[in-house]
Amino acid sequence: MSRVLRLGVNIDHVATIRNARGGDHPDPLRAAKIAAAAGADGITAHLREDRRHIGDRDIARLRDEIDLPLNLEMAATAEMLAIALRHRPHAACIVPEKREERTTEGGLDVVGGAAHLAPIITALGEAGVRVSLFIEPDPRQLDAARALGAPVVELHTGAYCDAAAGPAREAQFLRIAEAARHAQSLGLECHAGHGLTYDTVEPVAALPAIAELNIGHFLIGEAIFVGLDQAIARMRAHMDAALRGGVAA
Ligand code: PXP
């Protein structure tokens, strides 16, 4: 098992539950500490424009009090750029954002948005923040990411995870596999995430070009039943089984 495959745990939905009552509980920072102890390689948090889950104070606390690399998911706006430059997380994943969507429903249009994205990618890179672009598994988007000098792409696995098991999901998986190979050939580090579960993670984890998976909603949901540490340990076991070429129980 020589390939390294990192697991970034997205703690947004701990904040979703906290915000439902407006108090301090449950605390995303506590979740991040549990994730770190359970073997997460990084913490991912999305500061949305409407602050529906993670808030500004959460980002400051995660940055100050967690030793793991912080991956800040952010829209390509002046406000978010200023926040990222203030906190200088290890990484910033630029995502498309629409207020009315329930989650990040599709990838970034790097082809159409190149002129807008270029200065943001440059500013983050100059500040030492590792930039990734959250894109559909589409070769044109990968080529555009490469042209803009982003070092990392994250492939949106939502269509794959949402597809019915069988030929529809297989077709979506092939798009991811091809895009991961293409990313590697362009010299881009390739991550993947969105909607991944115990049932869908292994084929993606087995792709040699994938270096990191970012997983949130399913883990936080499972944590209700088995605890966050157990949910992460089981996800990690599925990832490790994929690295070994086996299947986790
Ligand atoms: N990666 C990115 C860029 C995301 O926007 C999200 C959702 O915030 C995830 C990964 C995690 O997706 P999920 O919560 O469905 O596991």
Side-chain angles (χ1 to χ4, degrees):
M1 211 195 335
S2 56
R3 180 163 72 92
V4 174
L5 177 62
R6 297 187 300 271
L7 171 60
V9 173
N10 181 316
I11 53 163
D12 290 351
H13 297 299
V14 178
T16 302
I17 298 171
R18 176 195 60 192
N19 295 358
R21 287 291 171 92
D24 293 334
H25 183 80
D27 184 357
L29 184 71
R30 183 172 167 199
K33 288 181 177 167
I34 292 170
D41 301 295
I43 299 298
T44 293
H46 186 174
L47 185 67
R48 293 188 75 102
E49 190 190 5
D50 63 7
R51 309 301 197 269
R52 70 176 69 158
H53 37 56
I54 292 293
D56 299 65
R57 186 165 161 266
D58 294 321
I59 297 297
R61 292 170 74 224
L62 289 166
R63 187 73 181 90
D64 292 347
E65 296 182 47
I66 297 294
D67 291 333
L68 290 181
L70 175 64
N71 175 31
L72 172 67
E73 293 177 353
M74 54 173 268
T77 63
E79 181 200 15
M80 289 301 152
L81 176 62
I83 291 170
L85 294 178
R86 188 157 68 244
H87 293 296
R88 298 190 185 218
H90 167 77
C93 180
I94 303 182
V95 301
E97 199 173 297
K98 297 192 210 90
R99 242 175 218 273
E100 64 278 13
E101 69 189 354
R102 265 185 298 183
T103 180
T104 312
E105 284 163 6
L108 204 57
D109 180 9
V110 187
V111 177
H116 175 70
L117 290 168
I120 297 176
I121 294 169
T122 302
L124 288 167
E126 285 176 358
V129 179
R130 198 159 164 77
V131 179
S132 91
L133 303 180
F134 189 43
I135 57 173
E136 293 297 321
D138 172 342
R140 291 167 308 158
Q141 298 295 343
L142 287 157
D143 293 340
R146 176 75 186 84
L148 284 182
V152 184
V153 289
E154 180 165 329
L155 301 177
H156 197 308
T157 52
Y160 157 72
C161 293
D162 289 345
R169 188 178 290 167
E170 183 60 22
Q172 292 298 335
F173 175 70
L174 292 176
R175 291 178 68 220
I176 294 170
E178 183 49 43
R181 268 194 299 272
H182 191 59
Q184 195 169 39
S185 74
L186 293 172
L188 294 165
E189 183 172 311
C190 191
H191 302 174
H194 206 281
L196 291 169
T197 66
Y198 300 147
D199 288 339
T200 52
V201 74
E202 289 194 25
V204 180
L207 294 171
I210 300 287
E212 179 175 307
L213 298 177
N214 286 298
I215 308 179
H217 183 266
F218 179 80
L219 287 175
I220 303 306
E222 272 299 288
I224 294 168
F225 304 112
V226 302
L228 185 56
D229 53 348
Q230 292 301 312
I232 290 170
R234 189 158 166 209
M235 187 61 80
R236 188 72 250 182
H238 280 282
M239 291 165 60
D240 291 344
L243 289 178
R244 286 192 308 267
V247 177

